[in-house]
Amino acid sequence: MKHELKKTLVLLPLVAALTACGGGGSDSSPVDTTRSADGAGTGQPATDGDTKDTPTTPAVAELFHISPRGTTARYLLLGTSLQSTGALETLEQQPTGGVVAMNAHTLTGPDLSVADIAGDETFAQGRWAKGTALAAGNTSTLGGARNAAYHYVVHLPATHLPAGGTLRCDAGTFTRPTVISNPSAPALGVATGSAALSFNDAGAVVDVSLTATAGHRTGTVSTTGRTIAPGASAVTGNFFSQGDGMMLTLGDSGNGKFRIIAAYEVTAGGDAAYRGIATFLCTR
Protein backbone atom coordinates (compact mmCIF):
# COMPACT_ATOMS: atom_id res chain seq x y z
CA MET A 1 0.00 0.00 0.00
CA LYS A 2 1.28 3.41 -0.87
CA HIS A 3 1.19 6.28 1.56
CA GLU A 4 0.64 9.86 0.64
CA LEU A 5 3.64 11.99 1.50
CA LYS A 6 2.83 14.47 4.20
CA LYS A 7 4.91 17.32 2.82
CA THR A 8 7.85 18.42 0.76
CA LEU A 9 9.99 21.30 1.96
CA VAL A 10 11.39 23.83 -0.44
CA LEU A 11 14.00 25.82 1.40
CA LEU A 12 16.52 28.51 0.59
CA PRO A 13 18.88 27.97 -2.38
CA LEU A 14 21.95 25.87 -1.89
CA VAL A 15 24.77 28.12 -0.78
CA ALA A 16 27.61 25.79 0.07
CA ALA A 17 28.56 22.14 0.09
CA LEU A 18 31.46 20.11 1.38
CA THR A 19 32.30 16.92 -0.47
CA ALA A 20 34.99 14.34 0.14
CA CYS A 21 35.82 10.76 -0.80
CA GLY A 22 33.50 10.72 -3.81
CA GLY A 23 30.90 12.98 -2.22
CA GLY A 24 28.48 15.10 -4.20
CA GLY A 25 27.51 17.86 -1.82
CA SER A 26 26.56 20.51 -4.34
CA ASP A 27 23.09 19.75 -5.66
CA SER A 28 20.47 21.85 -7.35
CA SER A 29 18.34 19.35 -9.29
CA PRO A 30 14.63 19.39 -8.40
CA VAL A 31 13.12 16.46 -6.53
CA ASP A 32 10.00 14.70 -7.82
CA THR A 33 7.43 15.77 -5.24
CA THR A 34 4.66 13.57 -6.66
CA ARG A 35 6.32 10.26 -5.85
CA SER A 36 4.78 8.07 -3.17
CA ALA A 37 6.96 5.87 -0.97
CA ASP A 38 6.36 2.63 0.88
CA GLY A 39 8.32 1.13 3.74
CA ALA A 40 8.07 1.50 7.47
CA GLY A 41 10.97 2.54 9.63
CA THR A 42 13.04 0.09 11.57
CA GLY A 43 14.82 0.49 14.85
CA GLN A 44 18.13 -0.63 16.31
CA PRO A 45 17.70 -3.88 18.25
CA ALA A 46 19.46 -4.53 21.53
CA THR A 47 21.28 -7.67 20.37
CA ASP A 48 24.91 -7.01 19.50
CA GLY A 49 26.02 -8.36 16.16
CA ASP A 50 22.48 -8.92 14.82
CA THR A 51 22.71 -8.63 11.05
CA LYS A 52 18.99 -8.09 10.42
CA ASP A 53 16.80 -5.03 10.77
CA THR A 54 13.95 -5.43 13.24
CA PRO A 55 10.78 -3.51 12.26
CA THR A 56 9.47 -1.14 14.90
CA THR A 57 7.14 1.83 15.02
CA PRO A 58 9.21 5.00 14.52
CA ALA A 59 8.95 7.48 17.38
CA VAL A 60 8.97 10.77 15.49
CA ALA A 61 7.39 13.55 17.48
CA GLU A 62 6.96 15.84 14.48
CA LEU A 63 8.26 15.93 10.92
CA PHE A 64 11.24 18.15 10.26
CA HIS A 65 10.57 21.75 9.23
CA ILE A 66 12.52 24.94 8.68
CA SER A 67 12.84 27.19 11.71
CA PRO A 68 10.73 30.34 12.07
CA ARG A 69 13.95 32.35 11.93
CA GLY A 70 14.43 31.29 8.32
CA THR A 71 17.74 29.54 9.00
CA THR A 72 18.96 27.47 6.04
CA ALA A 73 18.84 23.82 7.09
CA ARG A 74 21.71 21.40 6.45
CA TYR A 75 22.02 17.77 5.44
CA LEU A 76 24.69 15.09 5.81
CA LEU A 77 24.72 11.85 3.80
CA LEU A 78 27.22 9.11 4.62
CA GLY A 79 27.89 6.02 2.50
CA THR A 80 30.61 3.44 1.97
CA SER A 81 32.86 5.95 0.20
CA LEU A 82 30.77 9.11 0.46
CA GLN A 83 30.59 12.07 2.80
CA SER A 84 28.30 14.73 1.38
CA THR A 85 27.04 17.73 3.31
CA GLY A 86 25.61 21.09 2.42
CA ALA A 87 22.65 23.44 2.55
CA LEU A 88 19.29 21.71 2.20
CA GLU A 89 17.37 22.92 -0.83
CA THR A 90 14.61 20.31 -1.04
CA LEU A 91 13.44 17.54 1.26
CA GLU A 92 10.98 14.66 0.87
CA GLN A 93 9.89 12.92 4.06
CA GLN A 94 7.56 9.96 4.63
CA PRO A 95 4.70 10.18 7.13
CA THR A 96 6.71 7.77 9.31
CA GLY A 97 9.52 10.34 9.46
CA GLY A 98 11.94 8.63 7.05
CA VAL A 99 13.65 11.01 4.65
CA VAL A 100 13.76 9.73 1.05
CA ALA A 101 15.15 12.79 -0.76
CA MET A 102 17.67 15.50 0.10
CA ASN A 103 18.34 17.78 -2.85
CA ALA A 104 19.36 15.42 -5.69
CA HIS A 105 20.10 12.49 -3.35
CA THR A 106 17.08 10.15 -3.49
CA LEU A 107 15.83 6.74 -2.39
CA THR A 108 13.14 5.20 -4.62
CA GLY A 109 11.48 1.86 -5.34
CA PRO A 110 8.26 0.01 -4.48
CA ASP A 111 9.91 -1.81 -1.57
CA LEU A 112 12.19 0.92 -0.25
CA SER A 113 13.00 0.87 3.45
CA VAL A 114 14.34 3.57 5.76
CA ALA A 115 15.70 2.16 9.03
CA ASP A 116 16.70 3.66 12.39
CA ILE A 117 14.25 6.55 12.00
CA ALA A 118 14.44 9.30 14.61
CA GLY A 119 13.66 12.99 14.67
CA ASP A 120 11.46 15.93 15.51
CA GLU A 121 10.84 19.38 14.04
CA THR A 122 14.54 20.28 14.37
CA PHE A 123 16.26 17.18 12.93
CA ALA A 124 15.67 13.90 11.09
CA GLN A 125 17.96 10.89 11.17
CA GLY A 126 17.96 7.44 9.59
CA ARG A 127 19.53 4.87 7.30
CA TRP A 128 18.60 3.98 3.73
CA ALA A 129 18.46 0.18 3.95
CA LYS A 130 16.59 -0.94 0.83
CA GLY A 131 15.65 0.52 -2.53
CA THR A 132 17.36 2.35 -5.38
CA ALA A 133 19.66 5.07 -4.09
CA LEU A 134 20.87 7.97 -6.21
CA ALA A 135 23.68 9.71 -4.33
CA ALA A 136 26.32 12.06 -5.71
CA GLY A 137 25.25 11.10 -9.23
CA ASN A 138 25.79 7.36 -8.66
CA THR A 139 22.96 4.81 -8.60
CA SER A 140 23.09 1.71 -6.39
CA THR A 141 20.69 -1.00 -5.29
CA LEU A 142 20.38 -1.34 -1.52
CA GLY A 143 19.28 -4.48 0.27
CA GLY A 144 21.37 -6.89 -1.77
CA ALA A 145 25.05 -6.06 -1.24
CA ARG A 146 25.83 -6.45 2.45
CA ASN A 147 27.61 -3.10 2.81
CA ALA A 148 25.26 -1.04 0.62
CA ALA A 149 23.64 1.58 2.86
CA TYR A 150 23.47 5.33 3.37
CA HIS A 151 23.17 7.11 6.71
CA TYR A 152 21.69 10.61 6.85
CA VAL A 153 20.80 13.48 9.14
CA VAL A 154 19.11 16.80 8.36
CA HIS A 155 19.17 19.55 10.95
CA LEU A 156 18.96 23.22 11.77
CA PRO A 157 22.50 24.62 12.21
CA ALA A 158 23.56 26.28 15.44
CA THR A 159 24.64 29.72 14.25
CA HIS A 160 24.19 31.54 17.58
CA LEU A 161 25.90 30.03 20.63
CA PRO A 162 25.98 30.99 24.31
CA ALA A 163 29.08 32.83 25.52
CA GLY A 164 29.65 30.22 28.23
CA GLY A 165 28.14 27.42 30.27
CA THR A 166 27.87 23.63 30.24
CA LEU A 167 24.99 21.44 29.07
CA ARG A 168 24.10 17.84 29.88
CA CYS A 169 23.86 15.46 26.91
CA ASP A 170 21.60 12.42 26.62
CA ALA A 171 22.68 8.85 25.89
CA GLY A 172 22.49 9.39 22.15
CA THR A 173 20.50 8.32 19.10
CA PHE A 174 22.25 6.09 16.56
CA THR A 175 21.91 4.58 13.15
CA ARG A 176 23.15 1.00 13.12
CA PRO A 177 26.76 1.08 11.87
CA THR A 178 27.30 -0.72 8.55
CA VAL A 179 30.50 -2.49 7.52
CA ILE A 180 32.52 -0.96 4.68
CA SER A 181 35.35 -3.53 4.65
CA ASN A 182 36.03 -7.20 5.48
CA PRO A 183 33.57 -9.62 3.83
CA SER A 184 33.61 -11.96 6.85
CA ALA A 185 32.53 -9.33 9.39
CA PRO A 186 28.84 -8.82 10.31
CA ALA A 187 27.09 -6.42 7.96
CA LEU A 188 25.44 -4.50 10.82
CA GLY A 189 26.66 -3.51 14.24
CA VAL A 190 25.28 -1.74 17.29
CA ALA A 191 26.46 1.69 18.42
CA THR A 192 26.69 3.27 21.87
CA GLY A 193 28.34 6.45 23.03
CA SER A 194 28.53 9.53 25.22
CA ALA A 195 29.01 13.25 24.72
CA ALA A 196 29.61 16.48 26.63
CA LEU A 197 29.06 20.08 25.54
CA SER A 198 30.26 23.43 26.86
CA PHE A 199 30.76 26.89 25.39
CA ASN A 200 33.48 29.54 25.42
CA ASP A 201 34.48 32.57 23.36
CA ALA A 202 35.68 30.35 20.50
CA GLY A 203 32.40 28.45 20.16
CA ALA A 204 31.20 25.02 21.27
CA VAL A 205 33.59 22.58 22.96
CA VAL A 206 32.61 18.92 22.58
CA ASP A 207 33.73 15.55 23.92
CA VAL A 208 32.40 12.56 21.98
CA SER A 209 33.08 8.84 22.38
CA LEU A 210 31.48 6.25 20.07
CA THR A 211 31.73 2.47 20.21
CA ALA A 212 30.62 0.07 17.48
CA THR A 213 30.09 -3.61 18.32
CA ALA A 214 29.50 -6.29 15.68
CA GLY A 215 29.66 -9.88 16.85
CA HIS A 216 32.92 -10.28 18.78
CA ARG A 217 34.39 -7.14 17.18
CA THR A 218 34.41 -3.85 19.09
CA GLY A 219 36.02 -0.50 18.28
CA THR A 220 35.90 3.00 19.75
CA VAL A 221 36.61 6.41 18.28
CA SER A 222 36.69 9.51 20.50
CA THR A 223 37.75 13.12 20.83
CA THR A 224 37.97 15.55 23.74
CA GLY A 225 38.00 19.32 23.83
CA ARG A 226 37.21 19.72 20.13
CA THR A 227 36.08 23.28 19.32
CA ILE A 228 33.32 23.89 16.77
CA ALA A 229 32.76 27.44 15.57
CA PRO A 230 29.18 28.68 15.10
CA GLY A 231 27.65 27.19 11.95
CA ALA A 232 30.81 25.18 11.19
CA SER A 233 32.03 21.59 11.49
CA ALA A 234 35.20 19.91 12.72
CA VAL A 235 36.92 16.76 11.48
CA THR A 236 38.95 14.39 13.65
CA GLY A 237 41.38 11.61 12.82
CA ASN A 238 41.38 10.28 9.25
CA PHE A 239 37.66 10.52 8.61
CA PHE A 240 38.09 12.14 5.19
CA SER A 241 40.72 9.56 4.21
CA GLN A 242 38.67 6.38 4.77
CA GLY A 243 40.03 5.96 8.29
CA ASP A 244 38.95 6.20 11.93
CA GLY A 245 37.59 9.60 12.88
CA MET A 246 34.53 11.82 13.01
CA MET A 247 32.94 14.82 11.38
CA LEU A 248 31.27 16.89 14.10
CA THR A 249 28.77 19.72 13.88
CA LEU A 250 26.18 21.31 16.14
CA GLY A 251 22.45 21.54 15.52
CA ASP A 252 19.99 24.01 17.05
CA SER A 253 17.09 22.23 18.78
CA GLY A 254 15.43 25.42 20.05
CA ASN A 255 14.77 26.76 23.56
CA GLY A 256 18.46 26.70 24.47
CA LYS A 257 18.93 23.05 23.44
CA PHE A 258 21.66 21.89 21.08
CA ARG A 259 22.33 18.60 19.29
CA ILE A 260 25.83 17.23 18.72
CA ILE A 261 25.93 15.48 15.34
CA ALA A 262 28.71 12.98 14.66
CA ALA A 263 29.28 11.09 11.42
CA TYR A 264 32.00 8.54 12.10
CA GLU A 265 34.13 5.65 10.95
CA VAL A 266 35.61 3.16 13.41
CA THR A 267 37.64 -0.04 13.09
CA ALA A 268 36.09 -2.84 15.14
CA GLY A 269 38.21 -5.79 16.19
CA GLY A 270 41.19 -4.48 14.27
CA ASP A 271 39.97 -5.80 10.90
CA ALA A 272 36.56 -4.34 10.01
CA ALA A 273 35.61 -0.70 9.41
CA TYR A 274 32.09 0.53 10.21
CA ARG A 275 30.32 3.80 9.46
CA GLY A 276 27.30 5.42 11.06
CA ILE A 277 25.75 8.59 12.48
CA ALA A 278 25.18 9.48 16.14
CA THR A 279 23.38 12.48 17.62
CA PHE A 280 23.24 13.71 21.24
CA LEU A 281 20.67 16.18 22.58
CA CYS A 282 22.22 18.55 25.15
CA THR A 283 20.18 20.65 27.57
CA ARG A 284 20.65 22.69 30.75
Side-chain angles (χ1 to χ4, degrees):
M1 181 177 68
K2 293 186 176 181
H3 305 285
E4 180 182 358
L5 294 174
K6 183 173 182 180
K7 61 182 176 181
T8 297
L9 295 179
V10 179
L11 307 178
L12 299 178
L14 184 67
V15 295
L18 171 64
T19 306
C21 298
S26 180
D27 314 300
S28 58
S29 302
V31 174
D32 179 8
T33 60
T34 64
R35 183 176 70 249
S36 296
D38 295 327
T42 57
Q44 176 171 291
T47 304
D48 291 355
D50 184 3
T51 60
K52 297 181 180 180
D53 289 318
T54 303
T56 63
T57 301
V60 176
E62 183 178 344
L63 296 187
F64 178 83
H65 63 78
I66 191 65
S67 80
R69 298 189 302 276
T71 302
T72 302
R74 305 283 296 180
Y75 79 91
L76 190 156
L77 185 65
L78 181 68
T80 301
S81 59
L82 169 74
Q83 298 100 220
S84 179
T85 182
L88 187 65
E89 187 179 56
T90 55
L91 173 75
E92 187 175 339
Q93 191 172 17
Q94 297 173 294
T96 57
V99 172
V100 293
M102 295 162 284
N103 298 356
H105 308 298
T106 61
L107 179 68
T108 60
D111 59 347
L112 70 82
S113 175
V114 182
D116 311 333
I117 295 172
D120 58 24
E121 67 275 15
T122 66
F123 89 111
Q125 179 178 334
R127 171 171 53 88
W128 290 354
K130 190 175 183 180
T132 300
L134 174 62
N138 297 315
T139 301
S140 57
T141 300
L142 310 183
R146 61 194 306 278
N147 66 342
Y150 288 94
H151 307 253
Y152 70 82
V153 63
V154 297
H155 65 97
L156 303 177
T159 56
H160 298 85
L161 305 181
T166 299
L167 304 187
R168 294 191 300 268
C169 301
D170 67 8
T173 301
F174 310 88
T175 61
R176 291 194 67 182
T178 52
V179 70
I180 63 171
S181 66
N182 193 337
S184 64
L188 288 170
V190 174
T192 56
S194 62
L197 175 64
S198 61
F199 300 95
N200 60 27
D201 292 341
V205 181
V206 302
D207 300 345
V208 177
S209 180
L210 299 169
T211 297
T213 301
H216 66 275
R217 296 171 172 85
T218 297
T220 298
V221 61
S222 62
T223 187
T224 57
R226 176 66 62 166
T227 299
I228 305 175
S233 60
V235 176
T236 74
N238 296 314
F239 181 73
F240 275 166
S241 302
Q242 298 280 156
D244 286 16
M246 293 179 278
M247 184 169 72
L248 302 165
T249 192
L250 201 63
D252 187 347
S253 291
N255 299 317
K257 301 176 183 178
F258 295 90
R259 190 175 301 275
I260 298 173
I261 297 165
Y264 67 91
E265 180 173 330
V266 59
T267 301
D271 64 354
Y274 287 82
R275 284 189 161 196
I277 288 177
T279 60
F280 298 88
L281 181 63
C282 305
T283 62
R284 294 191 182 278

